[in-house]
Amino acid sequence: MSADLNEVEKVTPTAAGAEVNTEGAVKALSGVDSSTKGISATYGVQLLFYVPPVGTDDKVVLLGFTQGLTAASEVQ
């Protein structure tokens, strides 16, 4: 069995006049170097499980996972 999740990370400045700086893939996808409003990044997470047959005492096992940046933008 597999499951897909989205994890949203929002970074906003906490002080007047402060900026959030971007780098790497977040900078490339958002198209901004820095922002006084903040930056939102969405990461897609995929999980792969082994689910035993009904009637057994075996437990569900996480076989693996992967995560990747799927979107980034300036907070509006």
Side-chain angles (χ1 to χ4, degrees), residues 41-71:
T42 303
Y43 295 88
V45 182
Q46 293 179 322
L47 306 168
L48 182 62
F49 297 94
Y50 164 73
V51 179
V54 173
T56 67
D57 290 334
D58 294 344
K59 295 182 178 184
V60 174
V61 177
L62 176 65
L63 299 174
F65 69 94
T66 186
Q67 177 183 13
L69 180 66
T70 59

Side-chain angles (χ1 to χ4, degrees), residues 22-33 69 71-73:
T22 61
E23 54 185 46
V26 172
K27 182 176 181 177
L29 283 176
S30 68
V32 296
D33 295 328
L69 180 66
S73 62

Side-chain angles (χ1 to χ4, degrees), residues 1-53:
M1 179 184 113
S2 65
D4 296 321
L5 308 170
N6 283 325
E7 176 184 353
V8 179
E9 180 180 292
K10 187 186 293 186
V11 180
T12 55
T14 57
E19 291 185 339
V20 174
N21 296 317
T22 61
E23 54 185 46
V26 172
K27 182 176 181 177
L29 283 176
S30 68
V32 296
D33 295 328
S34 63
S35 171
T36 57
K37 297 177 185 178
I39 298 292
S40 177
T42 303
Y43 295 88
V45 182
Q46 293 179 322
L47 306 168
L48 182 62
F49 297 94
Y50 164 73
V51 179

